Amino acid sequence: MKHTQSKLIRTQIPRTAEGEHASPMYLTSSFCFDNAEDMRAAFADETDVNIYSRFSNPNVQEFIDRLCILENAEAGFATATGMSAVFGSFMALLKKGDHLLSCESVFGSTHTVVSKYLPKYGIDFSYISANATAAQWEAAITPQTKMIYIETPTNPGLEVIDIAMVSAIAKKHNIILNVDNCFATPIGQTPIDLGADIVIHSATKWIDGQGRVLGGAIVGRKNLIHEIYLFCRATGPSLSPFNAWVLSKSLETLEVRMERHSSNALFVAEKLEGHSKINFVKYPFLTSHPHYSIAKKQMKNGGGILCFEIKGGIEAGRKFLNNIKMLSLTANLGDTRSIASHPASTTHAKLSPAERAAVSISDGLIRISVGLEHKEDIVADILQALEA
Ligand SMILES: *Cc1c(COP(=O)(O)O)cnc(C)c1O
């Protein structure tokens, strides 16, 4: 098989004597041994068999193998949530005295981990703007910098960071580059091909794509993933086999889903641009996006998220949500159902206006996760809510 999509579809748990076509579910907490010697060898890491589902499980392994195919990664570990992937990658690879250099716009809970919890363990951090030049990135590195962490496109501001540019700097200084690829998905971009060492996912979003289960993953260089595996196997943020079964099945349709999500999103973005009640529309593949050329260089499509700034600030944002009829008002993103959210009054309400401005979240910013309903119905609902 020559193509990634075929390899992904045809990678599955070996068929059992029952001859099942879909992979069976291994809802078991542990695995049996024939004798004491086999059990001893397994615990001594002399064999590569399943012992206990906190360490490994066939459904979880199938999900990881498939994600590694999509991301061009050597190895991976799946976690219960995206946040346990983020936290596990930090805790396994950083130690007291190390410095983490992170892009300034990161997912809300990631910001809490970086700025509140890492310092508690003696791990220092600094933030850098998504607009930083190569020289500014270089200048932000200290002798203690052990890891660079970026999210691109960022949530919810949709800033795009040049992965190849940052990875060249990371390589020069022998620093691990860790990329949260949740928004683009491996269908939109493959950071490892651009020089990233590890890639993080919240599988809860586009990978599930249907708003059912939580999950996460870390894939990348074998030696780094081994450290992460040892940390996670001991501390226990393992993915449930049931969730892994759901997520693995979802990966089979990720490509076709993302193609439609992004063509719908581009259609909605183009229809909204220039509307009299909107200051600007931001979508990576709109030519007006400030990082359009970087997006075009590293992304195959613009993804399923767009945002726009409604005129009239917080009040106008709230009114817009109240007038929405079809789109869901919910905290998730990356679903078949389109979702509208207003970060300034919800997810980012705890930040000061200055902190929000630094991460491109203005009071009137609306984020739309574009679903798989007909694109004209999505636009029509947004337009009627703007005009109401
Ligand atoms: C949702 C999200 C996470 C966290 O994932 P959970 O599965 O909710 O723990 C991390 N990064 C980004 C960019 C996200 O959108």
Side-chain angles (χ1 to χ4, degrees):
M1 284 175 283
K2 228 168 69 195
H3 297 280
T4 306
Q5 181 64 10
S6 317
K7 283 186 208 147
L8 157 73
I9 294 265
R10 291 291 166 179
T11 295
Q12 70 184 99
I13 294 169
R15 203 164 283 161
T16 73
E18 299 296 339
E20 72 282 348
H21 193 204
S23 292
M25 261 189 235
Y26 288 88
L27 297 186
T28 175
S29 23
S30 66
F31 301 84
C32 294
F33 297 93
D34 286 339
N35 54 58
E37 169 50 23
D38 285 357
M39 197 162 178
R40 183 208 61 78
F43 274 83
D45 284 330
E46 289 167 19
T47 54
D48 198 19
V49 296
N50 295 307
I51 300 172
Y52 188 58
S53 286
R54 170 151 48 80
F55 309 170
S56 68
N57 172 282
N59 293 113
V60 174
Q61 194 57 44
E62 181 188 277
F63 170 62
I64 294 166
D65 290 344
R66 288 175 159 193
L67 190 60
C68 286
I69 289 171
L70 287 180
E71 289 283 7
N72 264 329
E74 293 171 359
F77 187 81
T79 54
T81 63
M83 281 322 300
S84 47
V86 172
F87 185 66
S89 75
F90 292 161
M91 295 314 275
L93 302 176
L94 298 172
K95 62 177 190 315
K96 189 175 163 199
D98 287 342
H99 170 252
L100 173 79
L101 176 59
S102 169
C103 68
E104 190 160 33
S105 322
V106 286
F107 181 67
S109 298
T110 304
H111 168 69
T112 304
V113 169
V114 168
S115 62
K116 181 173 173 192
Y117 292 108
L118 293 188
K120 226 175 112 169
Y121 301 105
I123 299 161
D124 194 16
F125 75 96
S126 52
Y127 282 136
I128 180 165
S129 159
N131 295 308
T133 60
Q136 287 167 325
W137 274 97
E138 283 266 1
I141 289 168
T142 77
Q144 282 70 44
T145 308
K146 183 86 177 290
M147 181 186 283
I148 292 177
Y149 184 80
I150 59 173
E151 229 181 86
T152 178
T154 60
N155 180 7
L158 294 176
E159 290 160 326
V160 179
I161 298 169
D162 188 334
I163 301 172
M165 183 259 281
V166 176
S167 90
I169 294 166
K171 282 202 170 37
K172 185 173 147 200
H173 295 272
N174 204 19
I175 296 167
I176 298 165
L177 176 59
N178 186 353
V179 179
D180 182 332
N181 200 26
C182 171
F183 263 38
T185 83
I187 305 304
Q189 72 190 9
T190 44
I192 288 171
D193 294 336
L194 301 170
D197 299 295
I198 50 176
V199 167
I200 299 280
H201 275 287
S202 166
T204 316
K205 314 289 171 55
W206 300 109
I207 291 180
D208 174 25
Q210 289 142 93
R212 300 163 299 182
V213 300
L214 297 169
I218 312 158
V219 300
R221 273 186 210 291
K222 213 172 186 159
N223 59 329
L224 300 177
I225 296 298
H226 186 65
E227 287 304 316
I228 291 165
Y229 161 73
L230 294 175
F231 175 81
C232 291
R233 132 177 189 159
T235 55
S238 321
L239 180 63
S240 118
F242 175 78
N243 288 11
W245 184 89
V246 171
L247 293 170
S248 183
K249 237 1 195 172
S250 297
L251 283 180
E252 296 182 6
T253 56
L254 185 64
E255 184 180 45
V256 289
R257 287 186 286 110
M258 289 317 294
E259 280 169 4
R260 178 61 65 86
H261 280 295
S262 26
S263 64
N264 277 0
L266 181 61
F267 179 83
V268 175
E270 284 172 343
K271 288 284 178 200
L272 295 179
E273 199 164 42
H275 191 281
S276 63
K277 299 262 172 76
I278 289 176
N279 287 325
F280 63 80
V281 179
K282 217 161 167 194
Y283 181 69
F285 270 27
L286 277 185
T287 53
S288 57
H289 190 292
H291 308 134
Y292 174 72
S293 61
I294 305 170
K296 274 288 186 182
K297 183 177 72 165
Q298 70 189 19
M299 297 172 76
K300 289 195 213 69
N301 59 56
I305 309 279
L306 63 96
C307 53
F308 58 83
E309 187 181 78
I310 193 164
K311 290 181 181 165
I314 295 254
E315 238 358 271
R318 271 208 282 261
K319 190 167 159 246
F320 172 80
L321 286 197
N322 283 334
N323 286 320
I324 278 290
K325 292 197 169 86
M326 180 185 81
L327 272 63
S328 312
L329 311 187
T330 178
N332 199 21
L333 63 92
D335 198 303
T336 53
R337 294 170 180 79
S338 296
I339 297 164
S341 63
H342 180 220
S345 71
T346 58
T347 48
H348 294 73
K350 287 196 198 81
L351 272 66
S352 70
E355 285 172 318
R356 283 203 293 269
V359 294
S360 298
I361 299 168
S362 55
D363 288 350
L365 193 80
I366 300 288
R367 185 187 73 190
I368 307 285
S369 168
V370 179
L372 301 180
E373 303 97 339
H374 195 285
K375 59 189 179 184
E376 283 166 10
D377 289 328
I378 303 169
V379 170
D381 193 33
I382 296 170
L383 290 179
Q384 69 76 26
L386 280 172
E387 276 142 27

